[in-house]
Amino acid sequence: MIQSPCVAKCGVNEDDICMGCYRNIDEIVGWSKADNAFKAEVWKQIPARKAALGKGENSQKISRDKWQEVAARLEGDTVEA
């Protein structure tokens, strides 16, 4: 099992990237259902994202509505695939 990069400082910037763990909202919402290959790939991308984004700011918390919207979309993607 690959551990989540979450650092409990959640909040996304204007591009829906969490400035705590540097995952995008799709990666955050889909993490629990993702396979290890996907998780390993996300972990590989985090250092470059962190370097590119620097110490950006969280412009907004991930709302429950936004979380549910993304979860529903990801569930739809899984069904269609």
Side-chain angles (χ1 to χ4, degrees):
M1 177 199 280
I2 295 179
Q3 195 72 14
S4 168
C6 181
V7 294
K9 293 183 180 179
C10 303
V12 294
N13 67 11
E14 62 278 353
D15 295 319
D16 285 340
I17 302 289
C18 176
M19 297 307 295
C21 69
Y22 298 95
R23 291 179 291 166
N24 67 47
I25 194 166
D26 288 21
E27 293 164 346
I28 294 167
V29 174
W31 190 265
S32 65
K33 294 182 180 179
D35 61 25
N36 284 339
F38 176 86
K39 291 176 181 180
E41 184 58 34
V42 171
W43 268 106
K44 280 192 219 175
Q45 294 175 26
I46 289 173
R49 291 178 186 174
K50 189 173 184 178
L53 295 169
K55 293 227 179 224
E57 295 196 20
N58 296 336
S59 59
Q60 63 180 332
K61 295 279 186 190
I62 302 172
S63 70
R64 181 182 179 101
D65 290 341
K66 184 154 192 148
W67 185 284
Q68 290 175 334
E69 174 188 321
V70 172
R73 180 173 45 76
L74 291 176
E75 189 67 32
D77 288 350
T78 302
V79 172
E80 293 174 14

